[in-house]
Structures are given as structure tokens and as C-alpha cells.
Amino acid sequence: MPPRPRNKANRGLPQNLYFDARRGTYRYRRPSDGKWFQFGADRAKAVDAAKQLNLTFMRGADLVSKVQGIASDSFSSFLDTYEREVLPPRELAKGTLDLYAVRFRQFRKAFEGKAVDEITIRMVAELLDSLTPRAANQARALLVDVLNHAAAKGLCPDNPAASTIPKIEKKQRRRHTVEGLRAIREKSPAWLQNAIDLALITAQRRTDILSMRFDDIRDGFLYVIQQKTAKASDAAWIRFRVTPQLQEVISRCRDNVPSPFLIHRRPERKRQKQAEQKEHWTKIEERYLTRAFKDARDEAGCYANWKEEEQPGFHEIRALSLHLYKKAGKDGQKIAGHANEEMTRNYQRDHADVVWSDAVPDLDIGEIAR
């Protein structure tokens, strides 16, 4: 704390309260961050307010609040409740939960030691300003939901996150080129080549590619339930006809590694703890695929002139796939799992009676997988 200004008028004033001789008014310096507040020219009111504020900032103020019956739930504690009670019934995909875990760590750090009703719009805005536009909008949407639940329990009077404005996201990643993806594939291990080929032929997301199993192939079809949209759209239920193009990739996936998953690998070192946490010891985690794809892309150097934020990842293979389907004069909507009117029947049906959307994955990827 800076030394008290040498002014006779400051003698006898409570800590953090100062007299501005030039203006003839009093001002208070908040000890938590040094911000100044004007208290006017009335000495008695300024002294009384300063004393009350100093008591609030004193150590043990939280104990005083408890005795007075005005204690507030900490944000961190409520976040534990939100994770434990609100999220499980939603049956969210693992990838979504992993993303939420990252956001929760950011929330806990930004609002450390704060009660739910102490979080302000400014605090939320400062957190969001520290993130990229896309990450900020993801964090904002999640925080709005968290604080809506807190407000519904009477833990805060309003939702400060809802008062912030979403950021404008400018798409930075560029699309893969046929030449670029071919170069990446050439630098990829066999399992990643298979993943790239499956993504090209089926136009599915990373999480669904890694979840495809050999026992999902029956009666000439590969059955896929899209994890991201299974709760929101009947387009999530797709059965891919095993075309010659798809069969060629499936055949390459059958190797000497005993695994139930089409895309798999034998770990260099099988760690007991990791093996227990995984569905199967050969299953590839999404983050591992992302890193492996990035390593192959960097080694290929195919987009060397593009900025780091423009470098396309595994996810952008989906866009290239749909582009190639369209270029070949084929309908990529059912391949991707985009909803249409015929798929609405599933809303009134039980799981056993679900109507599968048929897709014919017959894209010729020979130009890339050669």
C-alpha cells in the first residue's frame, strides 16, 4: 500500500480513506485492487462508509458473514454440484465433457475464492477477453448455463455471463487440398492412413471415426450412431452400405493387432492406469489422433506458407470429403448425417425401432490414397 499523502486533513481518517485538498472531497482506495472511489465532501458519511468497507475487507470477514447469516455459496462448490448433478443426465459425448473440463479449470482460476453472487459482468468479460473468439464463445455459453442453474437455486440475483456479448468468430482454418492431404497421408502411420481414408469415404467426425467397431459391420452395412448429435437429430443414426471403396479400407484395418475398433494401434508402452481408463487398450484417444495428424502435417510441410491458425486439422477432412462428393455429382447430405424430413420418425420411436438413414459411401479416394 502506498504511503498516506502528507496532508493534515488525513489525520484521524480510517485506513484507505483520503482527503483530496484540491477538490475538497474524500476518496476511498479499494485495498483488493487499488481502484479509487469518490466519496463526496461529507466527512462523516465518508468515514462511516470507509469503516464499513474496511471491515468487509478484513481477514475473517467471511466468518462475520456466517454469523450474520449472509454467507454465500462459493462458485467452486457450486461448479462441483453442476458437474455432479446437472451434466450426467445429459449423456454428453466424451469429447464434449473433455472440452467442458478445460473450461471448468479456467472458471475456477478466474473466480477463485469468489462466491456465486460476487461474480460480476466485468469479471466474466475479463475472462472472455483473455480467450480466442471461438474459445470465448464456448466458455460464455457454458458459463451462462452454469449461472442460470445457480440463479434458479437463488444463489445469485441475475446472470452476469448473459449480459456479455458473444464475440464475432472469423474462420481462420483453411480447407485441405487434395495435394495437401495426400502429402499428409504419405507421412502418416498405417492406422492414421486408415483413419484419413475412413473420414474421406464416410465424412464422419473424429469421435465417430474412432468409435467404429468391427462388430458394427453386419448384413452388408456399417452401423454408426453419431455421438455429437444422437440426442438432437435423427440423422445421427446412419448405416453405411459396405461398398467396394469402404470394404477396401475395412480390409486394411484388419491387421495382426487384436482390437474391436477399426482404427486402433498397439501402444509403444501399455500403461496400466491408462489401460484401465480406456474402453480397450488399442483404442485411440481423440487428442492422440489430433497430435499425430499435426505431426504428419508438419513433416509433410504441405501448407508451409499458411499461418499456424490457418493449418487445417483432421476435422477439416470432413469438409473436403463433402466437397469431393459434390464434385463427383453425389449426394453428401446423408453421408454426413444432415437431417431431412424422413428422419423425423425416430422422435416417436423406441431405441429398438429406430429408423436408420441409409448412405452409400462410394467416393473414389484413389487420388489421395494411392
Side-chain angles (χ1 to χ4, degrees), residues 71-76 111-119 155:
S72 299
D73 286 21
S74 73
F75 175 80
S76 181
F111 309 131
E112 184 178 5
K114 298 294 182 183
V116 178
D117 58 2
E118 290 179 328
I119 298 175
L155 301 180

Side-chain angles (χ1 to χ4, degrees), residues 161-210:
S163 297
T164 60
I165 300 175
K167 296 182 182 296
I168 298 176
E169 296 182 39
K170 293 183 179 180
K171 189 168 181 63
Q172 295 178 317
R173 283 191 182 140
R174 297 170 69 172
R175 299 279 178 88
H176 281 293
T177 64
V178 170
E179 298 76 14
L181 188 58
R182 183 195 306 130
I184 294 171
R185 188 182 181 281
E186 290 174 353
K187 297 295 183 180
S188 301
W191 68 265
L192 183 52
Q193 290 183 355
N194 293 337
I196 291 172
D197 294 349
L198 270 180
L200 277 172
I201 292 177
T202 66
Q204 296 305 290
R205 300 177 182 87
R206 176 184 61 177
T207 183
D208 298 315
I209 293 291
L210 296 179

Side-chain angles (χ1 to χ4, degrees), residues 316-335:
E316 277 67 38
I317 298 177
R318 178 178 166 92
L320 177 61
S321 171
L322 295 178
H323 169 71
L324 293 177
Y325 268 108
K326 183 177 181 180
K327 186 178 178 181
K330 303 175 185 294
D331 181 13
Q333 296 301 303
K334 286 187 177 181
I335 293 291

Side-chain angles (χ1 to χ4, degrees), residues 89-197:
R90 295 181 179 180
E91 298 181 10
L92 299 172
K94 182 179 182 301
T96 301
L97 293 175
D98 288 343
L99 177 60
Y100 280 10
V102 173
R103 301 293 170 235
F104 289 150
R105 287 195 293 271
Q106 293 169 335
F107 295 164
R108 293 180 191 280
K109 182 178 180 181
F111 309 131
E112 184 178 5
K114 298 294 182 183
V116 178
D117 58 2
E118 290 179 328
I119 298 175
T120 64
I121 298 174
R122 183 169 183 173
M123 291 178 189
V124 176
E126 288 176 349
L127 166 63
L128 300 181
D129 287 344
S130 68
L131 305 174
T132 63
R134 179 173 176 78
N137 287 340
Q138 291 174 344
R140 178 185 180 276
L142 180 56
L143 189 56
V144 165
D145 190 59
V146 170
L147 293 178
N148 274 342
H149 280 80
K153 291 183 177 294
L155 301 180
C156 53
D158 52 20
N159 189 330
S163 297
T164 60
I165 300 175
K167 296 182 182 296
I168 298 176
E169 296 182 39
K170 293 183 179 180
K171 189 168 181 63
Q172 295 178 317
R173 283 191 182 140
R174 297 170 69 172
R175 299 279 178 88
H176 281 293
T177 64
V178 170
E179 298 76 14
L181 188 58
R182 183 195 306 130
I184 294 171
R185 188 182 181 281
E186 290 174 353
K187 297 295 183 180
S188 301
W191 68 265
L192 183 52
Q193 290 183 355
N194 293 337
I196 291 172
D197 294 349

Side-chain angles (χ1 to χ4, degrees), residues 7 52 349:
N7 188 324
Q52 292 186 50
R349 292 176 178 266

